[in-house]
Amino acid sequence: MLYVACEGESTEPDYLDYLNDQFGDGGGQGRQSFRIQLVPRRDGRTPSGIVEAVRKVAGEDEAWALFDRDRWNDIPQAVKAAAESRVELAFSHPSFDLWLLLHFQMFGGAQSGSGKIVVEKLRQARGADAFKDYGRKGEKSIKGARRDALKGREGKAVAHARSLVASCAQGFCEPDRAKIGPVDLKAEPESPQAWAARSGHALECQVLQRDPSTDVWRLLATLGIDGRKPGKGAPAEMAPFIVDLS
């Protein structure tokens, strides 16, 4: 069981519902079955608030916190709190929209916290006709035709996100060093730098300088939804964990 809370009102919850529906039963492909349970959203929740909320709900289960760069000022505090409580992070810079775009194409170039260009690229991406009105009038749901457009592209999205780690200009970053699989909750807490490096980025690579990047791929890889065949590096067992997408 995965417990999730999210920053977005519709996009991230809709996407996680999609993962439930599309992959939750394991699909007979050797993946562990799972169920993502959303934690109710709270207005005004900051990244550090997301970490705290999921920590409280998780108990002895594994927890994830998903949040965007946006214009938040407390991201370093969120990383520190996550390291202390061993809450997994899936940070997107500039926004979760980047993860959606990577289903269709590669993307590069610093965005300085603004997702405007990312959204424009998503609307125009080949194969993403269902997203041509995405974000207009604030409508960013992931349902119906948009879900259909994403199907079968998860492996491509993971590969593109890994490429962003490999091409990071801020340090000696390598996606093959990323930590995939259940967290040992009984292990000693790690430093914020080491915890943030679970995404494959180097210890000296500052989180706010990973622009553009998204660590959502690690969540899919942990669930075995990454385009790899079972036994090719995909984890054999999945422990319950929580994703806080407040």
Side-chain angles (χ1 to χ4, degrees), residues 62 85-86 88 181-190 195 198:
E62 189 168 346
S85 55
R86 304 190 69 76
E88 287 274 31
V183 167
D184 182 0
L185 298 178
K186 296 181 180 180
E188 290 296 322
E190 299 179 30
W195 196 249
R198 289 176 65 79

Side-chain angles (χ1 to χ4, degrees), residues 25-234:
D25 63 358
Q29 301 297 317
R31 290 190 304 268
Q32 177 76 15
S33 60
F34 64 85
R35 179 69 187 174
I36 298 173
Q37 181 66 46
L38 292 175
V39 174
R41 183 177 183 274
R42 300 288 189 273
D43 291 336
R45 187 176 289 171
T46 64
S48 56
I50 292 171
V51 172
E52 176 62 15
V54 74
R55 183 193 65 78
K56 289 181 177 179
V57 177
E60 296 300 317
D61 291 332
E62 189 168 346
W64 285 71
L66 278 71
F67 52 85
D68 298 344
R69 173 63 182 99
D70 291 329
R71 301 294 178 179
W72 296 115
N73 296 318
D74 71 328
I75 291 175
Q77 292 90 333
V79 174
K80 182 176 184 294
E84 292 172 349
S85 55
R86 304 190 69 76
V87 171
E88 287 274 31
L89 297 173
F91 172 64
S92 295
H93 194 330
S95 65
F96 186 82
D97 302 322
L98 173 62
W99 171 247
L100 299 177
L101 175 61
L102 294 180
H103 284 69
F104 303 98
Q105 67 176 61
M106 188 55 181
F107 180 80
Q111 302 301 301
S112 302
S114 172
K116 181 179 179 180
I117 294 178
V118 173
V119 171
E120 290 176 353
K121 291 290 186 180
L122 177 57
R123 291 171 181 164
Q124 300 167 9
R126 184 177 181 180
D129 292 349
F131 287 85
K132 63 182 179 181
D133 294 325
Y134 181 80
R136 300 191 190 281
K137 298 182 179 180
E139 199 286 306
K140 299 177 74 173
S141 65
I142 306 295
K143 296 179 180 179
R146 290 177 183 169
R147 284 192 177 192
D148 292 339
L150 296 174
K151 289 179 181 177
R153 297 177 180 270
E154 293 78 21
K156 178 181 289 188
V158 169
H160 286 158
R162 285 171 54 89
S163 292
L164 288 178
V165 177
S167 62
C168 180
Q170 304 303 327
F172 298 99
C173 305
E174 175 52 58
D176 287 343
R177 291 201 301 262
K179 306 299 183 182
I180 306 298
V183 167
D184 182 0
L185 298 178
K186 296 181 180 180
E188 290 296 322
E190 299 179 30
S191 69
Q193 294 80 8
W195 196 249
R198 289 176 65 79
S199 59
H201 286 277
L203 285 172
E204 62 270 25
C205 184
Q206 299 298 313
V207 172
L208 296 182
Q209 295 178 348
R210 301 171 186 177
D211 182 13
S213 69
T214 176
D215 301 329
V216 178
W217 73 271
R218 278 208 315 124
L219 170 58
L220 270 72
T222 296
L223 293 173
I225 311 169
D226 58 0
R228 295 178 296 180
K229 295 180 180 179
K232 298 296 184 180

